């Protein structure tokens, strides 16, 4: 069978339909090697790994690379069990295809800091199986028993006879072998690549302009489109006049799509200009007079009346516990993601097939958008995932894909739909606004009862309703229901505040807000009990020794309790997210009534570390992301319209204001858990707790600029 | 018709003079290493060198760049042999990487002007946004590149 006639997606799909069978692919002609006849055959024992005669090992990555390092992390797992040469490792992104689902989610999704955790066993098995087959192939070539051979660094050895065979030289024989089952995996102490500081595989292309993001996709004959969307959520086009837009140089067409009106042009700039020139009469719909202020009042009313309140978790009795009662209400704003690359997608709709190129975190949803718009069968809709210029949860949505497919279908040409930054900030699936009421009871300085009421809009009920538990969205309750503290009387409740503003997943949903509440309130309780916030927390970590571990480590490295510089105080916070634990200590002073962060110490326990440098990068990245938002960011509405536009009124931390972040990792032999989002939730409360020490002012609302300058 | 010189090659483009240089380079010349992040001169993703000066090109009309030497990320080196690229690789700076063309172009212009920048020189020059928060490593990589000279 000639495979070079098929596209890569076809190749991979074929590999999958053959299941455990082997693919005899004839491509890579000319990759020289001498000893066997069909020397150009790559060896592909499963959907995840392909070994070519030139010794390169390609790992198919079923997760989206958005900076978190997954295109290095997942290949590393395969490479270690395979005993591959890490310098010959390559990656390739999987097409939308059922064989590439995440086994826990049951779908292709990159989110929730789960990639390494969920793919750990399947990829180890894939690597170990391939290794066993390569050893068997060498043994067959040498007429030996496989048990006499070993493998290391991409080479099979028979030490007794001093013979070696590179993996690339064995592809043809290995391809003829039966795929074994139950191949034993390595013990952690046998890992040679996992845990090492190997370089990221995606970096070279990101230094010279060759990396391809969604915005860089170019298809022959492609047009560029910009879309005018309703300024009010839920609004509709009443009528529009395309004349002025069509008069703009370079504009070739104006078409209505479900999301608004698209201007199609010969280049991006003309599309943007045409969009600005459009005359549209909007029906603003039911949200025309919405303000965030009114929404907060509504949420507070819900909190008071308990209307629609559902219990997420309850033990003991929080009503009857006796002692000193501490109570507080916290308010969290809507937030935008502002991925560095604005949303975009490219689609090419033909009579009989549809192709999509998109920086997305949800390949199958993107594929389904194409199916829904075109009516074509699933297998005729191909989705290519490019590199993502940031994700942070925004690209768990596929609205931009639908737009591109609709416009391409309407104009019968390949089209890239490009969003401006203003489009991006104003047409979001925001981090939900939230009102949280917390109540604690202290008996002789010990916390005996804790309750946490969350009033927020569930995004999961729209996004994946099957994951609600007894009607409760447990992601809306993250860090409210599963913060690592054990308190004998405990209750966590949820009220779904339906308000018509689109909400979605934002880095560490929705621990990023509930964690602020929990960690600030625990600090309030510690102060009310007259205890040091460190010892107060440690007393509550009896059942969660790993939480105690990271907290002790961070406190020790940061010099907790010792005098820091003049005017500097420390605040700390802990988090449990993605199966991992982290603790942060922030050194803070006050400048112009705003916190200035001088240094952050982070301690992370994420089980087995695949690549320590990527863990460090992710911890730092998550801190900067959380701090950026906490200092000044909020999305507000007036007359139903988002008031923020671009980086001049939705600020992002820059280099000069970014503190150094020292990351310490707890050594562990546990299975690996998530680290991509882990350190976003605890940074704001760590800073707020230091602000309390410095000023006596408790921050119960974010951003800091609102709480402290009001 | 406008004539511009990009990475040493003279190119004639049939575009309105007010079209920002970024879009001319990306869409008309198909050099896509320079990125679009904001379109208002805030983020620096679109930074190119205009006569050696790091410039945000999403707000620079192409007509203003005519007759000048325009250099994009693609001009540094395709094999990552420029000292800033080497330092970026050694420090493993990029995460998503989207902002990095711009960061590298600002850093290389800075080092040309100031071969041994202090931390505060770096603070002042490196005002581009990185949503992945790679700032710590950008700083270290600039110091490393300075040492290489
Ligand atoms: S795209 Fe030019 S400064 Fe942001
Ligand atoms: S590396 Fe992602 S925005 Fe800078």
């Amino acid at each position: 069978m000639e495979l070079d006639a098929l596209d890569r997606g076809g190749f991979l799909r074929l590999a999958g339909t053959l299941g455990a069978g082997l693919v005899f692919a004839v491509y890579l002609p000319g990759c020289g090697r001498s000893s066997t006849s069909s020397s150009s055959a790559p060896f592909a024992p499963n959907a995840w790994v392909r070994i070519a005669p030139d010794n390169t090992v390609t790992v198919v990555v079923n997760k989206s690379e958005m900076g978190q390092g997954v295109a290095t992390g997942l290949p590393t797992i395969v490479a270690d069990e395979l005993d591959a040469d890490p310098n010959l490792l390559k990656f390739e992104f999987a097409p939308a295809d059922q064989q590439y689902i995440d086994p826990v989610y049951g779908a292709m999704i990159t989110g929730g800091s789960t990639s390494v955790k969920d793919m750990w066993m399947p990829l180890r098995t894939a690597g170990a199986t391939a290794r066993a087959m390569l050893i068997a192939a060498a043994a067959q070539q040498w007429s030996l028993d496989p048990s006499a051979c070993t493998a290391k660094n991409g080479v099979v050895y028979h030490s007794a006879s001093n013979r070696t065979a590179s993996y690339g030289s064995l592809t043809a024989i290995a391809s003829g072998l039966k795929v074994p089952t139950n191949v034993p995996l390595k013990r952690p102490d046998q890992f040679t690549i996992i845990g090492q500081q190997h370089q990221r595989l995606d970096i070279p292309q990101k230094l010279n302009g060759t990396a391809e993001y969604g915005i860089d996709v170019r298809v022959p004959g492609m047009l560029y489109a910009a879309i005018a969307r309703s300024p009010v959520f839920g609004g509709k086009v009443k009528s529009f006049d395309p004349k002025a837009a069509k008069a703009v140089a370079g504009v070739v067409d104006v078409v209505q799509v479900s999301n608004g009106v698209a201007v199609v042009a010969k280049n991006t700039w003309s599309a943007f200009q045409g969009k600005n020139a459009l005359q549209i009469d909007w029906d603003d719909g039911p949200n025309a007079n919405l303000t965030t202020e009114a929404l907060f009042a509504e949420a507070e009313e819900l909190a008071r009346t308990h209307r629609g309140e559902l219990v997420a978790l309850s033990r003991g009795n929080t009503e009857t516990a006796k002692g000193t009662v501490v109570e507080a209400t916290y308010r969290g704003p809507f937030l935008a993601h502002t991925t560095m690359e604005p949303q975009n997608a490219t689609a090419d709709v033909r009579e009989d097939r549809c192709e999509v190129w998109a920086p997305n975190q949800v390949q199958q949803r993107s594929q389904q958008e194409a199916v829904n718009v075109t009516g074509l069968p699933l297998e005729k809709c191909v989705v290519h995932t490019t590199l993502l210029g940031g994700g942070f949860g925004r690209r768990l949505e596929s609205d931009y894909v639908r737009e591109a497919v609709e416009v391409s279908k309407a104009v019968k040409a390949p089209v890239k739909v490009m969003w401006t930054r203003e489009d991006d900030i104003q047409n979001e699936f925001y981090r939900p606004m939230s009102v949280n009421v917390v109540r604690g009871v202290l008996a002789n300085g010990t916390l005996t009862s804790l309750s946490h009421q969350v009033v927020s809009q569930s995004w999961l009920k729209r996004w994946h309703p099957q994951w609600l538990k007894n009607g409760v969205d447990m992601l809306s309750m993250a860090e409210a229901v599963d913060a690592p503290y054990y308190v004998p009387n405990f209750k966590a409740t949820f009220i779904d505040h339906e308000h018509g503003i689109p909400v979605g997943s934002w880095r560490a949903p929705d621990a990023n807000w509930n964690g602020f509440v929990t960690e600030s309130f625990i600090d309030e309780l510690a102060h009310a009990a007259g205890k040091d916030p460190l010892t107060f927390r440690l007393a509550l970590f009896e059942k969660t020794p790993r939480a105690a571990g990271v907290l002790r480590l961070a406190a020790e490295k940061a010099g907790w309790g010792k005098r820091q510089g003049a005017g500097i105080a420390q605040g700390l916070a802990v988090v449990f997210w993605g199966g991992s634990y982290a603790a942060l200590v922030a050194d803070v002073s006050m400048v112009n009534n705003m916190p200035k962060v001088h240094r952050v110490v982070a301690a992370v326990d994420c089980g087995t570390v695949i690549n320590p440098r990527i863990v460090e990068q992710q911890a730092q990245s998550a801190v900067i992301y959380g701090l950026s938002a906490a200092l000044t960011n909020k999305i507000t509405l007036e007359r139903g319209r988002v008031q923020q536009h671009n980086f001049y009124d939705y600020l992002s931390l820059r280099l000069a204001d970014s503190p150094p972040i020292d990351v310490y990792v707890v050594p562990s032999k546990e299975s690996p858990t998530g680290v991509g989002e882990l350190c976003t939730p605890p940074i704001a409360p760590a800073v707020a707790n230091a602000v309390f020490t410095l000023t006596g002012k408790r921050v119960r609302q974010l951003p800091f600029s609102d709480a402290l300058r009001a | 018709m406008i004539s511009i010189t990009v990475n040493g090659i003279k190119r004639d483009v049939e575009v309105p003079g007010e079209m920002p240089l970024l879009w001319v380079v990306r869409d008309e010349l198909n050099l896509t290493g320079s990125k679009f992040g904001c379109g208002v001169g805030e983020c620096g993703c679109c930074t190119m060198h205009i006569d050696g000066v790091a410039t945000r090109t999403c707000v620079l009309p192409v007509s203003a760049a005519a007759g000048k030497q325009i250099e994009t990320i693609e001009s540094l080196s395709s094999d990552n042999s420029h000292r800033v690229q080497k330092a970026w690789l050694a420090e493993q700076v990029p995460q998503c990487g989207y902002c990095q063309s711009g960061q590298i172009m600002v850093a290389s212009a800075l080092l040309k002007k100031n071969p041994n920048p202090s931390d505060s020189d770096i603070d002042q020059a490196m005002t581009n946004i990185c949503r992945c928060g790679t700032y710590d490593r950008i700083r270290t990589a600039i110091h490393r590149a300075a040492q290489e000279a």
Side-chain angles (χ1 to χ4, degrees):
Chain A
M1 181 180 342
E2 288 282 326
L3 275 175
D4 53 1
L6 294 179
D7 62 281
R8 275 201 307 219
F11 171 78
L12 293 165
R13 238 188 325 280
L14 187 64
T17 52
L18 294 179
L22 289 165
V23 178
F24 299 89
V26 184
Y27 84 145
L28 294 173
C31 286
R33 205 191 47 79
S34 48
S35 65
T36 44
S37 51
S38 54
S39 61
S40 55
F43 165 54
N46 49 58
W48 306 104
V49 57
R50 222 166 52 224
I51 298 159
D54 68 356
N55 291 314
T56 54
V57 173
T58 302
V59 173
V60 180
V61 172
N62 65 338
K63 299 286 179 171
S64 308
E65 176 61 65
M66 47 190 144
Q68 84 278 40
V70 77
T72 304
L74 298 188
T76 300
I77 297 171
V78 174
D80 200 313
E81 288 286 355
L82 176 60
D83 279 316
D85 179 348
N87 297 318
L88 296 175
L89 203 52
K90 294 205 241 177
F91 66 89
E92 180 177 295
F93 294 117
D97 195 301
Q98 192 62 18
Q99 70 176 317
Y100 287 114
I101 62 171
D102 175 302
V104 178
Y105 283 144
M108 289 180 76
I109 294 170
T110 309
S113 299
T114 55
S115 296
V116 163
K117 170 170 79 67
D118 294 354
M119 296 312 298
W120 174 239
M121 290 309 285
L123 292 181
R124 288 180 67 193
T125 305
T129 305
R131 178 184 184 273
M133 293 176 75
L134 290 159
I135 289 180
Q140 182 177 318
Q141 180 172 285
W142 299 327
S143 306
L144 289 167
D145 192 84
S147 65
C149 304
T150 56
K152 208 178 133 187
N153 222 26
V155 178
V156 182
Y157 292 86
H158 180 242
S159 40
S161 66
N162 237 338
R163 272 179 291 186
T164 63
S166 76
Y167 283 1
S169 72
L170 296 166
T171 54
I173 304 177
S175 296
L177 300 177
K178 199 166 160 305
V179 180
T181 50
N182 295 325
V183 175
L185 302 178
K186 288 184 178 179
R187 292 189 315 271
D189 62 344
Q190 294 172 309
F191 291 145
T192 55
I193 309 175
I194 287 169
Q196 304 301 310
Q197 302 253 12
H198 285 287
Q199 298 210 331
R200 287 177 64 134
L201 300 176
D202 59 339
I203 286 191
Q205 55 176 314
K206 292 177 175 178
L207 303 177
N208 55 21
T210 55
E212 190 179 67
Y213 299 86
I215 192 177
D216 304 324
V217 169
R218 202 173 172 112
V219 180
M222 182 179 87
L223 296 169
Y224 301 76
I227 297 181
R229 303 170 191 81
S230 170
V232 176
F233 293 104
K236 296 247 166 334
V237 175
K238 247 195 271 178
S239 65
F240 69 99
D241 182 353
K243 250 191 261 94
K246 282 188 170 161
V248 170
V251 169
V252 297
D253 209 348
V254 175
V255 292
Q256 190 170 351
V257 290
S258 59
N259 240 7
V261 180
V263 177
V264 185
K266 287 194 197 138
N267 58 60
T268 313
W269 172 250
S270 300
F272 286 172
Q273 295 299 101
K275 177 188 153 199
N276 292 342
L278 270 177
Q279 305 286 319
I280 305 176
D281 190 12
W282 296 100
D283 169 3
D284 286 343
N287 295 323
N289 293 311
L290 222 52
T291 65
T292 15
E293 216 160 302
L295 291 180
F296 274 108
E298 224 173 80
E300 277 155 30
E301 174 70 11
L302 285 171
R304 245 189 328 273
T305 58
H306 300 271
R307 189 149 35 88
E309 188 166 44
L310 296 168
V311 176
L313 181 69
S314 166
R315 68 173 166 258
N317 193 332
T318 52
E319 316 294 321
T320 55
K322 297 244 175 332
T324 312
V325 174
V326 181
E327 199 164 2
T329 301
Y330 285 73
R331 289 169 194 83
F334 289 118
L335 290 174
H337 300 79
T338 55
T339 55
M340 199 76 253
E341 177 187 18
Q343 308 317 310
N344 67 82
T346 303
D348 184 5
V349 178
R350 304 287 171 99
E351 278 298 293
D352 57 345
R353 86 188 231 116
C354 170
E355 225 169 331
V356 170
W357 295 261
N360 73 114
Q361 299 175 236
V362 279
Q363 288 71 15
Q364 290 167 305
R365 273 169 200 257
S366 296
Q367 188 182 33
Q368 194 58 47
E369 297 280 11
V371 169
N372 294 349
V373 173
T374 61
L376 289 165
L378 198 71
E379 65 276 11
K380 297 288 183 200
C381 296
V382 178
V383 174
H384 308 275
T385 302
T386 61
L387 289 167
L388 282 60
F392 314 127
R394 175 60 180 89
R395 293 182 158 111
L396 286 170
E397 307 293 342
S398 48
D399 48 330
Y400 44 90
V401 172
R402 186 183 60 246
E403 290 179 347
V405 177
E406 283 187 14
V407 181
S408 172
K409 184 182 170 198
V411 300
K412 299 193 166 50
V415 172
K416 181 197 294 171
V417 168
M418 189 65 221
W419 293 36
T420 62
R421 176 60 62 194
E422 290 79 4
D423 293 339
D424 187 59
I425 286 183
Q426 302 195 333
N427 296 275
E428 259 273 28
F429 294 84
Y430 301 98
R431 194 282 298 274
M433 59 165 274
S434 189
V435 168
N436 299 44
V437 181
V438 274
R439 183 177 179 273
V441 181
L442 293 161
N444 300 321
T446 301
L447 183 62
T448 57
S449 171
L450 180 65
S451 49
H452 192 151
Q453 179 197 45
V454 178
V455 183
S456 171
Q457 181 166 270
S458 163
W459 58 270
L460 201 59
K461 71 162 190 258
R462 164 184 65 81
W463 199 80
H464 199 97
Q466 299 88 321
W467 288 347
L468 266 54
K469 282 209 180 100
N470 303 322
V472 183
D473 170 356
M474 285 299 184
L475 270 181
S476 289
M477 295 302 292
E479 269 290 306
V481 77
D482 59 0
Y485 305 96
Y486 182 79
V487 185
N489 301 292
F490 180 83
K491 190 164 156 187
T493 59
F494 179 62
I495 298 175
D496 192 10
H497 176 203
E498 184 61 64
H499 51 51
I501 305 304
V503 289
S505 172
W506 193 94
R507 203 168 190 170
D510 288 295
N512 56 56
W513 171 251
N514 296 333
F516 176 76
V517 177
T518 297
E519 288 302 308
S520 299
F521 190 59
I522 290 284
D523 206 74
E524 290 199 50
L525 291 163
H527 285 282
K531 298 230 167 112
D532 178 82
L534 173 69
T535 44
F536 186 78
R537 280 184 171 80
L538 286 173
L540 298 169
F541 286 156
E542 238 167 83
K543 293 185 194 287
T544 43
R546 291 173 76 185
V550 289
L551 182 54
R552 281 206 184 92
L553 180 61
E556 180 210 315
K557 297 294 184 189
W560 178 262
K562 299 202 184 90
R563 238 192 95 73
Q564 308 299 322
I568 293 181
Q570 294 189 317
L572 57 80
V574 183
V575 69
F576 171 65
W577 173 261
S580 300
Y581 295 85
L584 302 186
V585 177
D587 293 11
V588 179
S589 69
M590 296 302 288
V591 177
N592 296 331
N593 267 344
M594 279 289 279
K596 175 173 169 57
V597 182
H598 298 263
R599 177 184 68 151
V600 177
V601 169
V604 171
D605 180 351
C606 56
T608 299
V609 170
I610 310 301
N611 185 319
R613 194 139 54 172
I614 295 178
V615 170
E616 179 182 283
Q617 290 182 347
Q618 281 294 76
Q620 293 173 333
S621 168
V623 166
I624 298 291
Y625 194 78
L627 186 58
S628 235
L631 287 175
T632 55
N633 284 354
K634 59 175 175 177
I635 291 292
T636 55
L637 300 160
E638 289 294 334
R639 295 188 308 114
R641 286 152 170 83
V642 172
Q643 299 301 293
Q644 290 70 30
H645 305 82
N646 203 318
F647 288 123
Y648 51 76
D649 56 8
Y650 195 84
L651 308 185
S652 201
L653 216 58
R654 297 175 197 246
L655 181 140
D657 302 314
S658 295
I661 301 155
D662 303 329
V663 182
Y664 299 89
V665 179
V666 177
S668 170
K669 296 242 180 310
E670 305 274 336
S671 290
T673 44
V675 80
E677 308 167 278
L678 183 65
C679 290
T680 293
I683 182 59
V687 174
N689 294 340
V691 167
F692 179 77
T693 304
L694 287 164
T695 66
K697 193 164 163 58
R698 180 54 67 182
V699 175
R700 297 198 186 90
Q701 159 195 9
L702 287 179
F704 284 102
S705 51
D706 278 10
L708 297 170
R709 283 181 179 156
Chain B
M1 181 92 77
I2 296 175
S3 279
I4 50 174
T5 305
V6 180
N7 301 337
I9 300 169
K10 196 159 163 280
R11 313 284 296 257
D12 294 332
V13 285
E14 198 77 59
V15 296
E18 72 269 17
M19 192 192 287
L21 179 62
L22 173 68
W23 295 115
V24 177
V25 167
R26 285 186 54 84
D27 291 352
E28 303 295 325
L29 306 184
N30 199 18
L31 289 170
T32 55
S34 311
K35 303 300 187 212
F36 167 69
C38 70
V40 296
E42 280 283 333
C43 74
C45 285
C46 59
T47 304
M48 299 175 199
H49 296 172
I50 311 286
D51 285 344
V53 179
T55 307
R56 295 182 174 168
T57 60
C58 65
V59 286
L60 183 78
V62 61
S63 54
K68 305 199 167 151
Q69 292 296 327
I70 301 162
E71 273 170 294
T72 69
I73 180 76
E74 286 87 353
S75 74
L76 280 199
S77 87
S78 57
D79 61 355
N80 296 334
S81 56
H82 186 281
R83 65 181 163 135
V84 173
Q85 292 169 316
K86 283 203 282 199
W88 247 243
L89 181 70
E91 296 299 332
Q92 295 279 289
V93 174
Q95 288 201 227
C96 86
Y98 192 80
C99 74
Q100 298 295 342
S101 296
Q103 307 278 10
I104 289 171
M105 291 308 275
V106 179
S108 63
L110 167 67
L111 285 165
K112 243 186 233 159
K113 227 175 46 197
N114 179 352
N116 200 5
S118 66
D119 273 340
S120 83
D121 295 337
I122 294 174
D123 282 352
Q124 270 168 34
M126 301 302 297
T127 58
N128 286 10
I129 293 174
C130 172
R131 291 294 292 151
C132 297
T134 62
Y135 300 123
D136 235 10
R137 297 194 297 285
I138 288 176
R139 184 190 297 285
T140 320
I142 292 175
H143 286 310
R144 177 190 277 264
Q147 241 118 69
E148 274 244 345

